[in-house]
């Protein structure tokens, strides 16, 4: 049996009571470090909490899938995933492949940055368009489709959650993301990501170093604000309660 | 101190390890039953797990807000909320009012139906437009703005999560929601909610009676499928992996 278990945003602290029992009863426990980022000590904390070895499923996660499925045929296996277990296609693919191999799959959901960020800023879920991912760019790779997606949300007066790409166990630095947004604006000659546009920065949400700030793109750049993991929100027009909440819950830069 | 704690979708089973410690250490524990629905035995389970009285904050939740804040001045208070604690404006208003009264507020996030439903069906978050709530209607109250919101998502080729209104501790019956969608189509003479349109039905997600089905609006109506709590998804065009996932993870009616 394969149990795909979401850890939420706090490492071992946000394991649910039921998931913890399941983890303890498993024959082997894999910890997925490929699609998202956990608080720094999570691997060691999990090892202590469970009192046993953890198997890391990192960059080679896709390749180790076959092993995980094979093992799940006759034994009880856990795959631990930061955040919600089914937010990434990778995990639904594993779920499908395991089912096709005749393995029983159980899912244990948990909180996801996607649903948590709106609430902590006091912004309303029903005013968000689709989230947009900002990838690391290079001279030969600079996808302007990111701009189209942001533009669509803005044209519908919807807020946009910007998810930052991951590298070496960290999210893209906030300042690098802002520079990419500026460069998109230059290349597309649009008028949506100008220095006066407000942007919200969420750092280490739900973790000890949590920081929520907002300001114009210009002021966020000038402030040099950084931190990890980070995510951004481009708010559209705020309604009255959102305006009140954002001003009280986040720090204006 | 006021701790606003999300229970997730499974009642006591989805309390996180950290939240459980906080709950046990509080002087009083309120259980909010006004904005969302927990599995049936949650109130009794919580009482057993904590070994003490729970205070229910139900319909009169808004009125009891002042008491909760007053109590949080000098003692440690918990407010337990099904799902994620900050998905409803009500709780962000309480958070704000408590802060203004000089009370320290701590938030403990958990999973929300909003982020979990896409994944269980194998649909991708970045292909969802804003969620839309379906309210109970009457002869004198029939808001067609619901139709506009759905139409906008469809015109952008985005999936729509339909959240069903609550009454007497249950979500609106699935068949009633389908009838409301049909009536909206009749009144607006549109061509978006016709009997041939596919719709997904999620019943008791993450709970023992979980059922995931999809089919045309006509077939869902004919099947008479029901269950509680329920939520619907109106998918737009499916991409290849979504099509594969949906066909394997949900039952076709």
């Amino acid at each position: 049996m394969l149990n795909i278990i979401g850890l939420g945003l706090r490492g071992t602290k946000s394991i649910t009571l039921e998931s913890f029992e399941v983890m303890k009863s498993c024959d082997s426990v894999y910890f997925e470090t490929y699609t998202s980022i956990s608080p720094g000590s999570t691997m060691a904390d999990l090892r202590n909490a469970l009192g046993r070895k953890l198997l890391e499923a990192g960059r080679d996660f896709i390749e180790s899938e076959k092993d995980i499925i094979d093992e799940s045929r006759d034994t009880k296996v856990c795959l631990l995933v930061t955040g919600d277990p089914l937010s990434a296609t990778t995990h639904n693919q594993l779920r499908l492949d395991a089912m096709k191999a005749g393995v029983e799959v159980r899912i244990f959901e948990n909180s996801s940055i996607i649903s948590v960020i709106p609430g902590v800023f006091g912004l309303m879920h029903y005013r968000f368009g689709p989230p947009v991912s900002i990838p690391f760019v290079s001279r030969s790779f600079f996808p302007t489709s990111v701009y189209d997606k942001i533009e669509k949300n803005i044209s519908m007066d919807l807020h946009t959650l910007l998810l930052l790409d991951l590298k070496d166990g960290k999210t893209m630095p906030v300042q690098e993301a802002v520079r990419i947004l500026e460069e998109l604006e230059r290349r597309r000659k649009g008028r949506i990501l100008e220095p006066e546009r407000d942007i919200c920065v969420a750092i280490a949400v739900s973790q000890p170093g949590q920081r929520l700030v907002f300001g114009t793109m210009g002021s966020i750049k000038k402030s040099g604000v950084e931190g990890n993991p980070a995510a951004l929100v481009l708010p559209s027009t705020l309604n009255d309660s959102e305006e009140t909440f954002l001003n009280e819950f986040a720090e204006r830069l």
Side-chain angles (χ1 to χ4, degrees), chain A residues 42-63:
Chain A
T42 302
M43 189 90 179
D45 292 348
L46 280 168
R47 214 181 288 118
N48 284 339
L50 295 173
R52 65 148 94 160
K53 209 177 74 167
L54 281 186
L55 301 154
E56 191 175 345
R59 234 173 243 257
D60 54 349
F61 175 69
I62 310 290
E63 285 88 60

Side-chain angles (χ1 to χ4, degrees), chain A residues 1-2 27-28 67-77 101-104:
Chain A
M1 179 195 284
L2 174 61
D27 300 295
S28 54
D67 296 345
I68 295 178
I69 293 175
D70 280 345
E71 232 183 295
S72 305
R73 266 180 227 281
D74 309 308
T75 62
K76 224 173 141 185
V77 176
V103 168
E104 189 189 345

Side-chain angles (χ1 to χ4, degrees), chain A residues 5-65:
Chain A
I5 294 181
L7 287 181
L9 307 179
R10 301 178 188 230
T12 50
K13 290 181 180 173
S14 50
I15 296 171
T16 70
L17 298 180
E18 187 177 23
S19 298
F20 194 54
E21 293 309 311
V22 172
M23 284 163 63
K24 285 192 291 188
S25 74
C26 275
D27 300 295
S28 54
V29 181
Y30 288 85
F31 179 44
E32 194 270 290
T33 56
Y34 172 64
T35 61
S36 59
I37 289 169
S38 270
S41 61
T42 302
M43 189 90 179
D45 292 348
L46 280 168
R47 214 181 288 118
N48 284 339
L50 295 173
R52 65 148 94 160
K53 209 177 74 167
L54 281 186
L55 301 154
E56 191 175 345
R59 234 173 243 257
D60 54 349
F61 175 69
I62 310 290
E63 285 88 60
S64 58
E65 196 195 278

Side-chain angles (χ1 to χ4, degrees), chain A residues 7 25 28 35 37 47 53-54 58 107 110 113 115-116 132-133 135 151 158 161 168 175 208-209 214 216-217 223 237:
Chain A
L7 287 181
S25 74
S28 54
T35 61
I37 289 169
R47 214 181 288 118
K53 209 177 74 167
L54 281 186
I107 306 295
N110 209 319
I113 197 73
S115 54
V116 168
V132 175
S133 292
E151 196 172 32
L158 297 172
L161 172 61
D168 303 328
Q175 299 301 324
F214 74 112
T216 61
M217 280 181 52
S223 71
T237 327

Side-chain angles (χ1 to χ4, degrees), chain A residues 220-240:
Chain A
I220 294 294
K221 196 179 169 186
K222 208 169 147 192
S223 71
V225 63
E226 280 299 356
N228 190 68
L232 308 174
V233 176
L234 281 172
S236 61
T237 327
L238 300 171
N239 67 24
D240 287 351

Side-chain angles (χ1 to χ4, degrees), chain A residues 1-240:
Chain A
M1 179 195 284
L2 174 61
N3 299 279
I4 309 182
I5 294 181
L7 287 181
L9 307 179
R10 301 178 188 230
T12 50
K13 290 181 180 173
S14 50
I15 296 171
T16 70
L17 298 180
E18 187 177 23
S19 298
F20 194 54
E21 293 309 311
V22 172
M23 284 163 63
K24 285 192 291 188
S25 74
C26 275
D27 300 295
S28 54
V29 181
Y30 288 85
F31 179 44
E32 194 270 290
T33 56
Y34 172 64
T35 61
S36 59
I37 289 169
S38 270
S41 61
T42 302
M43 189 90 179
D45 292 348
L46 280 168
R47 214 181 288 118
N48 284 339
L50 295 173
R52 65 148 94 160
K53 209 177 74 167
L54 281 186
L55 301 154
E56 191 175 345
R59 234 173 243 257
D60 54 349
F61 175 69
I62 310 290
E63 285 88 60
S64 58
E65 196 195 278
K66 210 187 147 291
D67 296 345
I68 295 178
I69 293 175
D70 280 345
E71 232 183 295
S72 305
R73 266 180 227 281
D74 309 308
T75 62
K76 224 173 141 185
V77 176
C78 266
L79 175 71
L80 309 181
V81 179
T82 295
D84 187 63
L86 296 183
S87 290
T89 308
T90 320
H91 304 128
N92 261 328
Q93 190 62 51
L94 171 64
R95 178 185 172 200
L96 179 67
D97 294 343
M99 283 166 61
K100 290 210 163 163
V103 168
E104 189 189 345
V105 180
R106 295 194 304 172
I107 306 295
F108 294 87
E109 76 291 342
N110 209 319
S111 57
S112 157
I113 197 73
I114 294 179
S115 54
V116 168
I117 291 241
V120 292
F121 278 115
L123 302 172
M124 281 150 197
H125 280 93
Y126 70 86
R127 302 204 56 228
F128 272 77
V132 175
S133 292
I134 314 252
F136 287 104
V137 296
S138 66
R139 226 176 260 191
S140 57
F141 178 74
F142 203 100
T144 54
S145 56
V146 170
Y147 193 87
D148 300 326
K149 291 173 191 165
I150 293 172
E151 196 172 32
K152 256 190 199 170
N153 281 345
I154 289 177
S155 74
M156 311 277 284
D157 197 24
L158 297 172
H159 309 315
T160 306
L161 172 61
L162 300 174
L163 299 168
L164 305 183
D165 209 354
L166 315 179
K167 195 155 64 184
D168 303 328
K170 292 194 168 180
T171 48
M172 175 190 291
V174 172
Q175 299 301 324
E176 184 170 345
V178 172
R179 280 196 302 276
I180 292 173
L181 295 175
E182 286 177 341
E183 179 59 23
L184 280 166
E185 179 81 2
R186 251 191 307 276
R187 293 191 180 203
R188 295 295 299 273
K189 299 185 178 62
R191 305 202 60 174
I192 59 169
L193 299 173
E194 297 181 311
E196 300 74 37
R197 172 164 290 274
D198 268 340
I199 191 165
C200 303
V201 182
I203 292 164
V205 167
S206 304
Q207 293 170 34
Q210 173 174 307
R211 199 172 164 207
L212 304 172
V213 301
F214 74 112
T216 61
M217 280 181 52
S219 67
I220 294 294
K221 196 179 169 186
K222 208 169 147 192
S223 71
V225 63
E226 280 299 356
N228 190 68
L232 308 174
V233 176
L234 281 172
S236 61
T237 327
L238 300 171
N239 67 24
D240 287 351

